[in-house]
Amino acid sequence: MSNRNASPASAGGGFSAQIEGEMPVLTTPRGDNLESGMKKEACYERNRENCIEKYRLDNGLTVILEENHSSPVVAVNVWVKTGSACENEGEYGLAHVHEHMLFKGTTKRDVGEIAKVIESSGGDINAFTSFDETVYYVVIASRFLDTALDVLADAIQNSTFNPQELKKELEVVLEEIRRGKDSPGRNLSEKMFRVAFEKHPYGRSVIGSVDSVRSFSRQSVTDFYKKWYSPNNIVLIVVGDFNAEKIKPKIDELYGGFPSKKLPECVIENEPEQREMRAFIIDKPIQECYFSIAYHIPNATGEDTPALDVLSYVLGGSESSRLYRNIKEEKGLVNSIYAYSYTPKHEGIFVIGGTVDTDKAKEALAEIIKEISRFKYEPVDNDELSRVKVNIETDAIYTKQTMQGQAQKLGFYEVKTGDFRYEDEYLDRVNRTSRDDVILVARKYFNDDNLTAGFLFPSTQITMTEDEIKTVAKASAKEVEIAHRTTKERKTEKLVEKDLMDETILYPDTLSGESAGDYARKHVLDNGITVLIKKNSSVPLFAARAAFLGGVRYETVSTNGLSNFVSEMLTRGTKKRSTEEIARQIESLAGEVEGFSGRNSFGVTVESLSKNFDEAFEIFADVLLNPSFDEDEIKRARREILAEINRQGDNLPSTTVNLFLRALFSKHPYGLNPLGSIETVSKFNENDLKIFYQSHARPEDMVISVVGDVDEDYMLDAVKKQFGSFKRVDKPAPKLNPEVPPSKITKRVENKKDKAQTHIVMGFLAPSLRDDDYYVFELLNTVLSGQGGRLFLELRDRKSLAYTVTSFYTPGLEPGFFGLYIGTAPHKEQEATLGMKEQLASLLKQGITDDELKRAQNYLVGDFEIGLQRNSSQAAKIGFDELYGLGWEEYKKYPEKIYAVTKEDVLRAARKYINLDTYTLAIVKPESLSQ
């Protein structure tokens, strides 16, 4: 119940809310004034953790290295300090096109080879473009670090920009634009930036428009490359399990010959001061209303940025925040809500957004503005301020769990603020933020003339005009002002504050360098609970997961959604804690606790600092063992789940997958939506929830896994203390029959109004988790998916049919499902469907090649290692494997079993499960094209 690992749309301030595109921050570069050449700074030791070193090559390339030996993984990032904001007329979208083209072939690697090389080495390669930068990155097993360095050096320096490939890739970008037109969030975000930034380039879409993209030629692409892609405009970052002194010669060899050039000036016109409120309305054929409210604020180096980040967190950064508690939970006016301060390299905006029922839009807007305005007159509570500071500071520790997280953070600070070390100064300023500071920034920025507000309404349910938005917002702010006018305004210098931080977060003198062990201790308590304990001292954190057999697999059509509803209720109050108390207490520990539910299980997870283990684990046990199922909380949870179902309906890929599953699983519950349906969720009552919980929250069907930097015996004793009295419920689990394979082609079509893309899923039943062919199908799926897979190479790279095309395999405790997905232009539907069938037919006829097998094996094993960097990931893996009868040690066997698969195995399994005369096809398409 916090925003740990939250998406930018739900986070408060700080780095974690800003990476990859449109998100929040930090603050004043000190600069390094490095001389050219291989002369390095004194080694920078942030909080005495791992050494971070920065130096420059003779050509001006900035290099940042951080050794971290906690996992055998490295992340290599190349940050080009040019994004869409530096584009001129006629160039809009070119920075993003380069993100696509630099992986489309070089002088020594043909189309598709770059991804193949990385995936064959067990790594991931990708890129993203934002307003201020374009970033290319590889995450890979550390033994392949040289490969990652070489591939990125080659792509950055030697891309060919082949005219034919450019033509194809521009079609892919156009598909990406079409996909965005069907995304409510993208529509609202782009409109908000366009209205808020009338002059500044942040008002333009990063990926450009249909017209601008269609206008690009090879000449325009290469001109842009020559202008900006110079080593003195690039930062190379390497984080992970390597020896810095050993890789420096390799970096110099690969990147030192890249000739530098004088860079043009990136002239960006400041946005004029906004002098009157702005409002806008969009309408689309969607199921839920979306809203966004924004105020102009400073950039990443602004003096007020730390206070604004603190304010954003207090306002809407977590489940104990003002907006969440007062507007969503207590008043029930919105279905979701968040706040964040987006502070990039140039000026930013403070955003409040979410979703709302259309008939509540006007009242919700009024109450949100009132809540915002109160910060101008009422100081935040000491408890709120303390909790926020702890969470912002602790984000630095959570980031260090993954090499890519740390690499992106270093890049963010270096590019946005000019100095990767700025984090220390930023955190210090956050810690020094007072209640006075929060009031001052609220008064400075939360004013009518600085406000832009917009709504995205369902087409037939527009309940406000632009003028009404302005009227409501102004009247609400005025109401708060009048209410406080008679109270003598407190002088900020007279506000008495006590020490807000009783305890400073302590970092270890050094990281031990001890990698996560390859073992766990297994115990079975007298009541039947299986306990897995695993020590991991790489970071001062712990994670625990308690999982029961359950999920949608234990549901029927009439009870569909019960498991998810129960999991939602587990953190909504216990016999001794209210929902708000749970949220407030866990966030004060810099942790999170949340319920989960899927197809085969449900339960609760917790994560926190190791030093807070006792308090966090007690909360974890309390929500698991003592849920109150309070009637008011049931109503709130119901409203939230129904809104989530509606939002899912606005997500066309999800809609298509759900349509596919309903058609494929006509009898087995895997065909049901884990969220449930509008009909079922609307009728569940307290008794239904309690019966499901009592029937399925059983010790004998429960696994608790704990991983972290805590003494193993101590962790085990805590489990026994908290869960030893959990009573057994001797009730047999339901027995399920596997789905009968279809005997003919099944096709389902769903029509949507005014959509830009057609979405297609074609698929089949597939092996279960316990089937001998599980590992074989993992390989089969990987041959088809990924940037180096057949579908990407054939249907995207060669035929330009889609921006997104992939395959997916989801095993179950009974046979699961395997499918191919593509989102394409409506007029390409038949070609796309035929293309998928052709790829499957080729697989069935010819099997796979030695190179494809090797690539898939290395990728799966490498991705597996990368995925286990977090404590929470390790707890999930060993916990679920034990719960599902595979045994917790299964993860140690994974590489061996993957490498044991042969080409013959893949061909045999493909022919066993894939029959082109009995596939299931689901299509979601624009209504005007329905057949």
Side-chain angles (χ1 to χ4, degrees):
M1 296 188 67
S2 79
N3 73 323
R4 185 75 58 220
N5 299 324
S7 67
S10 63
F15 153 79
S16 64
Q18 294 202 86
I19 276 297
E20 294 205 31
E22 300 169 17
M23 330 171 193
V25 18
L26 322 312
T27 308
T28 279
R30 294 196 298 261
D32 47 46
N33 298 315
L34 293 177
E35 297 177 7
S36 62
M38 296 288 288
K39 299 177 182 179
K40 69 178 183 179
E41 295 180 338
C43 186
Y44 169 67
E45 296 190 30
R46 181 178 55 75
N47 293 314
R48 300 192 301 275
E49 287 189 349
N50 293 352
C51 178
I52 305 174
E53 181 180 343
K54 173 181 172 180
Y55 65 93
R56 284 191 184 138
L57 303 185
D58 290 332
N59 58 8
L61 181 81
T62 298
V63 181
I64 300 176
L65 305 177
E66 179 179 9
E67 293 185 36
N68 182 338
H69 303 289
S70 61
S71 298
V73 176
V74 291
V76 182
N77 282 214
V78 173
W79 287 61
V80 181
K81 296 188 285 187
T82 299
S84 64
C86 285
E87 296 166 345
N88 298 318
E89 184 75 36
E91 296 180 334
Y92 300 156
L94 266 179
H96 175 253
V97 167
H98 281 76
E99 173 203 317
H100 283 242
M101 288 303 299
L102 262 63
F103 294 157
K104 292 285 288 183
T106 68
T107 52
K108 72 174 183 178
R109 291 184 172 96
D110 290 335
V111 177
E113 281 192 36
I114 288 177
K116 278 186 177 180
V117 167
I118 295 299
E119 292 176 2
S120 295
S121 301
D124 276 313
I125 184 168
N126 219 320
F128 63 86
T129 308
S130 188
F131 294 126
D132 303 318
E133 67 276 329
T134 308
V135 182
Y136 306 86
Y137 61 90
V138 170
V139 182
I140 202 167
S142 52
R143 61 186 176 275
F144 295 114
L145 172 57
D146 284 357
T147 300
L149 289 168
D150 179 67
V151 165
L152 286 177
D154 186 30
I156 293 296
Q157 299 175 63
N158 305 312
S159 288
T160 57
F161 301 106
N162 179 282
Q164 287 73 36
E165 293 303 324
L166 174 62
K167 183 178 179 181
K168 294 176 184 177
E169 202 61 23
L170 292 181
E171 276 297 313
V172 171
V173 175
L174 291 175
E175 289 297 339
E176 186 177 0
I177 292 173
R178 292 187 187 101
R179 185 187 68 162
K181 290 183 182 299
D182 289 339
S183 166
R186 176 68 69 85
N187 275 266
L188 186 64
S189 175
E190 289 191 351
K191 181 69 172 181
M192 171 56 76
F193 275 82
R194 194 158 60 246
V195 174
F197 293 99
E198 294 182 335
K199 300 292 185 182
H200 197 281
Y202 286 174
R204 300 194 306 264
S205 169
V206 170
I207 66 176
S209 66
V210 171
D211 290 340
S212 66
V213 170
R214 282 179 172 161
S215 72
F216 295 152
S217 64
R218 184 179 187 277
Q219 186 68 48
S220 60
V221 173
T222 56
D223 286 348
F224 191 88
Y225 173 84
K226 292 173 183 176
K227 185 180 356 179
W228 296 112
Y229 278 67
S230 175
N232 46 320
N233 196 38
I234 292 174
V235 180
L236 172 67
I237 302 164
V238 187
V239 175
D241 184 28
F242 64 90
N243 182 293
E245 294 305 317
K246 288 183 178 179
I247 72 163
K248 287 178 183 176
K250 187 69 174 180
I251 290 173
D252 195 36
E253 173 192 340
L254 292 171
Y255 295 85
F258 191 5
S260 63
K261 62 176 75 77
K262 182 178 180 180
L263 295 169
E265 186 178 359
C266 178
V267 180
I268 294 179
E269 182 180 359
N270 289 331
E271 180 68 20
E273 181 181 355
Q274 186 170 323
R275 298 187 179 278
E276 63 178 3
M277 187 183 299
R278 299 170 187 167
F280 64 88
I281 295 289
I282 316 173
D283 68 283
K284 291 276 186 178
I286 54 177
Q287 298 183 39
E288 193 170 21
C289 177
Y290 297 71
F291 66 89
S292 185
I293 299 165
Y295 299 88
H296 289 277
I297 58 173
N299 66 352
T301 59
E303 187 67 25
D304 295 328
T305 293
L308 285 162
D309 285 348
V310 168
L311 197 161
S312 74
Y313 201 106
V314 173
L315 184 64
S318 72
E319 291 185 13
S320 68
S321 65
R322 303 274 187 93
L323 292 175
Y324 188 93
R325 298 309 319 166
N326 300 339
I327 307 300
K328 178 180 181 292
E329 294 293 284
E330 298 302 323
K331 296 176 181 173
L333 293 175
V334 298
N335 300 320
S336 63
I337 195 162
Y338 56 84
Y340 64 87
S341 55
Y342 174 57
T343 48
K345 188 174 183 178
H346 301 280
E347 55 198 279
I349 55 176
F350 189 105
V351 179
I352 301 97
T355 59
V356 61
D357 294 339
T358 54
D359 60 343
K360 297 178 181 177
K362 188 177 296 186
E363 186 181 359
L365 174 62
E367 292 302 318
I368 290 169
I369 295 296
K370 289 177 187 177
E371 203 67 56
I372 294 168
S373 300
R374 290 189 183 103
F375 281 96
K376 298 162 72 172
Y377 310 102
E378 302 172 4
V380 298
D381 294 338
N382 285 338
D383 179 61
E384 287 179 304
L385 196 58
S386 177
R387 200 161 60 242
V388 167
K389 291 178 179 181
V390 168
N391 277 272
I392 291 177
E393 189 168 3
T394 309
D395 275 341
I397 300 176
Y398 280 94
T399 300
K400 288 193 72 67
Q401 288 191 96
T402 68
M403 307 309 176
Q404 177 62 0
Q406 178 67 2
Q408 285 197 325
K409 182 171 68 174
L410 292 172
F412 172 85
Y413 280 103
E414 181 68 22
V415 171
K416 302 290 190 182
T417 76
D419 188 349
F420 76 88
R421 298 163 298 189
Y422 186 74
E423 181 182 30
D424 282 348
E425 183 176 335
Y426 168 74
L427 291 175
D428 180 63
R429 291 174 64 191
V430 165
N431 196 45
R432 287 187 283 111
T433 297
S434 68
R435 296 189 298 171
D436 297 4
D437 296 328
V438 175
I439 288 177
L440 289 173
V441 295
R443 290 179 178 177
K444 187 173 181 179
Y445 300 105
F446 291 172
N447 300 308
D448 289 346
D449 291 345
N450 193 36
L451 171 64
T452 302
F455 282 78
L456 171 55
F457 284 106
S459 297
T460 59
Q461 302 175 48
I462 301 173
T463 58
M464 274 196 295
T465 65
E466 292 177 2
D467 286 342
E468 285 176 315
I469 291 175
K470 294 178 182 179
T471 299
V472 170
K474 290 178 180 178
S476 301
K478 191 69 174 177
E479 182 179 332
V480 175
E481 178 186 349
I482 293 172
H484 290 80
R485 183 176 296 167
T486 56
T487 304
K488 186 176 180 180
E489 188 170 292
R490 297 180 177 138
K491 300 298 183 181
T492 56
E493 63 270 18
K494 291 184 179 180
L495 283 172
V496 179
E497 293 190 55
K498 65 177 182 179
D499 184 8
L500 297 173
M501 297 291 286
D502 295 330
E503 180 181 8
T504 301
I505 293 176
L506 298 177
Y507 295 84
D509 289 340
T510 59
L511 282 178
S512 67
E514 177 185 350
S515 61
D518 62 353
Y519 72 94
R521 291 169 55 186
K522 176 181 174 180
H523 306 265
V524 179
L525 304 188
D526 291 341
N527 56 7
I529 298 176
T530 300
V531 183
L532 303 171
I533 304 292
K534 189 169 186 287
K535 175 81 170 178
N536 179 17
S537 299
S538 61
V539 286
L541 302 169
F542 88 93
R545 177 178 293 262
F548 302 97
L549 288 175
V552 75
R553 181 170 171 265
Y554 280 10
E555 296 173 357
T556 65
V557 172
S558 62
T559 63
N560 184 207
L562 258 179
S563 185
N564 178 69
F565 208 136
V566 167
S567 71
E568 174 68 23
M569 291 302 301
L570 294 179
T571 55
R572 284 184 168 271
T574 69
K575 295 174 183 177
K576 67 178 181 178
R577 288 181 173 95
S578 68
T579 311
E580 185 174 1
E581 287 172 334
I582 294 171
R584 187 172 62 248
Q585 289 176 22
I586 195 67
E587 287 164 24
S588 70
L589 302 173
E592 72 171 345
V593 61
E594 59 183 357
F596 69 87
S597 180
R599 299 190 185 280
N600 304 294
S601 62
F602 73 102
V604 173
T605 65
V606 68
E607 191 170 10
S608 186
L609 293 167
S610 299
K611 69 175 186 177
N612 295 333
F613 175 81
D614 288 338
E615 300 95 324
F617 199 79
E618 191 276 326
I619 294 172
F620 170 67
D622 189 30
V623 300
L624 269 163
L625 301 177
N626 305 304
S628 61
F629 296 105
D630 178 79
E631 189 61 40
D632 289 338
E633 291 297 334
I634 290 174
K635 292 177 182 177
R636 295 184 181 112
R638 190 194 319 280
R639 185 179 68 243
E640 187 169 303
I641 295 169
L642 291 174
E644 189 175 357
I645 293 172
N646 282 331
R647 287 195 296 276
Q648 188 182 69
D650 292 331
N651 183 309
L652 298 189
S654 294
T655 299
T656 312
V657 170
N658 285 338
L659 181 64
F660 162 72
L661 293 177
R662 290 198 302 272
L664 180 64
F665 292 98
S666 60
K667 298 186 182 300
H668 194 281
Y670 283 161
L672 301 174
N673 185 345
L675 293 178
S677 67
I678 297 291
E679 294 73 25
T680 56
V681 172
S682 297
K683 70 177 179 62
F684 293 147
N685 57 35
E686 178 184 354
N687 191 53
D688 296 326
L689 299 173
K690 285 183 175 180
I691 289 175
F692 187 91
Y693 172 79
Q694 292 164 359
S695 298
H696 301 298
R698 308 188 308 155
E700 59 270 39
D701 282 341
M702 182 184 188
V703 173
I704 298 176
S705 50
V706 192
V707 178
D709 186 25
V710 181
D711 179 79
E712 294 170 72
D713 290 334
Y714 194 88
M715 288 192 280
L716 179 59
D717 287 344
V719 176
K720 291 178 178 178
K721 175 184 176 181
Q722 298 293 345
F723 292 92
S725 60
F726 192 14
K727 294 182 179 179
R728 295 179 66 104
V729 180
D730 293 321
K731 182 179 179 181
K735 293 183 179 180
L736 297 172
N737 295 318
E739 183 70 32
V740 177
S743 59
K744 60 181 180 180
I745 294 173
T746 304
K747 182 177 179 179
R748 298 287 186 271
V749 178
E750 190 170 306
N751 307 305
K752 296 282 188 177
K753 289 184 178 179
D754 300 327
K755 300 300 180 182
Q757 276 196 320
T758 291
H759 302 261
I760 306 167
V761 170
M762 175 186 294
F764 312 83
L765 293 174
S768 71
L769 277 167
R770 299 165 182 157
D771 195 296
D772 290 340
D773 284 332
Y774 162 68
Y775 290 96
V776 180
F777 241 75
E778 286 270 88
L779 267 297
L780 186 157
N781 180 57
T782 305
V783 167
L784 293 172
S785 63
Q787 293 188 54
R790 289 189 182 187
L791 296 175
F792 192 98
L793 294 175
E794 294 295 330
L795 303 187
R796 175 171 155 158
D797 272 357
R798 295 197 172 98
K799 295 186 177 181
S800 304
L801 290 174
Y803 172 75
T804 303
V805 58
T806 191
S807 63
F808 53 89
Y809 166 45
T810 303
L813 294 181
E814 287 79 41
F817 51 92
F818 164 73
L820 281 62
Y821 163 81
I822 191 168
T824 189
H827 67 277
K828 299 177 182 177
E829 177 190 324
Q830 290 187 347
E831 185 181 3
T833 304
L834 179 61
M836 291 193 291
K837 290 175 66 175
E838 288 174 345
Q839 291 309 308
L840 292 176
S842 175
L843 176 67
L844 293 172
K845 181 178 180 181
Q846 302 172 358
I848 64 174
T849 67
D850 290 329
D851 285 345
E852 286 179 317
L853 178 66
K854 181 180 178 182
R855 164 195 162 264
Q857 288 173 327
N858 289 339
Y859 176 78
L860 283 169
V861 172
D863 186 61
F864 184 75
E865 292 176 347
I866 292 167
L868 291 180
Q869 292 176 84
R870 295 181 185 275
N871 288 333
S872 56
S873 299
Q874 295 181 43
K877 177 59 180 171
I878 62 175
F880 284 133
D881 280 351
E882 184 69 24
L883 182 68
Y884 298 151
L886 303 174
W888 71 266
E889 292 181 304
E890 183 70 15
Y891 82 98
K892 294 196 296 184
K893 307 172 187 175
Y894 186 87
E896 177 186 350
K897 291 188 175 182
I898 286 294
Y899 283 122
V901 175
T902 66
K903 292 188 302 180
E904 292 72 24
D905 291 331
V906 174
L907 181 59
R908 174 189 53 74
R911 290 174 175 172
K912 178 178 178 181
Y913 287 94
I914 299 172
N915 184 340
L916 292 179
D917 292 325
T918 61
Y919 61 81
T920 299
L921 182 67
I923 301 175
V924 175
K925 62 200 303 186
E927 188 173 59
S928 59
L929 298 176
S930 61
Q931 296 176 346

